[in-house]
Amino acid sequence: MAKKHYISNSGESVRMFKNNFLNSLTKVHYAVPLVFWIPVILYFLWRAYAQGGIGAGSTALYFAYGLAFWTLAEYVLHRWVFHYEPPGKLGKRLHFIFHGVHHDYPRDRMRLVMPLSASIPMAAVIYLLFSLFFSTFYLAGFFAGFLFGYLIYDECHYAIHHANFKSGFLKKIKDHHMLHHYSDPDKGFGVSSYFWDRIFGTMIPKKDKASSPVTKQNEG
């Protein structure tokens, strides 16, 4: 991804398609994922524990496995999928639709969590892939944890861009993500944590942190 920073810090939502219906599919209020995915998570937990009868301990264990696996998936998707820019004009357009718009307009309130038009198909494909490795009811527990991790990521991403944290872990991950936007978009891919950035060597160096314009996020 080219090292460009941002076009606007406005909180307004920019138009991506001339067609009103297509454009509406790219925008979503931050509460929508909570309303939709929490019942889905509860359903998979019920499916594992009550319908599958695998027990509370196994359900909790596979939920934890799924949650932990999400942290790696978050890093992989952000680094190698969202930041992949295919060649040609069409490739640049696709990249802009999927992630480039967020870097150009990082405070667009309606494009900080994933719209259901993208998250539902993606979740369906990932579920099918997981089904190759897990039996039905253990998969239910694992997938519930995976979805819960995704939900934390989505809501954390919105908060990072629109809440002012004074201290603690949330302040650290906000600073980490702001450096990704305003200092070096080729590093700092973790959003809800920076664990995998440490593992893969993509932490932004401390010397960059000292001079990085992190406070730009609060402009506009």
Side-chain angles (χ1 to χ4, degrees), residues 33-86:
L34 293 170
V35 173
F36 182 84
W37 289 110
I38 286 177
V40 175
I41 292 169
L42 293 175
Y43 165 75
F44 278 110
L45 286 173
W46 169 83
R47 185 167 170 77
Y49 175 71
Q51 191 177 30
I54 66 174
S58 292
T59 300
L61 184 62
Y62 275 83
F63 182 90
Y65 288 157
L67 179 59
F69 189 77
W70 164 258
T71 64
L72 176 60
E74 173 189 308
Y75 180 92
V76 170
L77 286 170
H78 192 186
R79 181 177 182 179
W80 285 294
V81 179
F82 296 160
H83 276 255
Y84 173 67
E85 187 172 326

Side-chain angles (χ1 to χ4, degrees), residues 205-218:
K206 290 182 179 180
K207 62 182 178 63
D208 293 345
K209 292 182 181 182
S211 59
S212 177
V214 175
T215 54
K216 286 182 178 179
Q217 190 272 342
N218 292 316

Side-chain angles (χ1 to χ4, degrees), residues 102 106 108-114 154 157-158 161-162:
H102 175 53
D108 183 338
R109 289 181 177 273
M110 300 302 288
R111 294 197 176 94
L112 287 173
V113 298
M114 191 176 294
D154 237 3
H157 188 218
Y158 184 90
H161 281 276
H162 285 284

Side-chain angles (χ1 to χ4, degrees), residues 47 54 62 127 130-142:
R47 185 167 170 77
I54 66 174
Y62 275 83
Y127 180 86
F130 287 163
S131 69
L132 300 176
F133 303 96
F134 296 94
S135 60
T136 300
F137 299 116
Y138 288 100
L139 171 58
F142 182 89

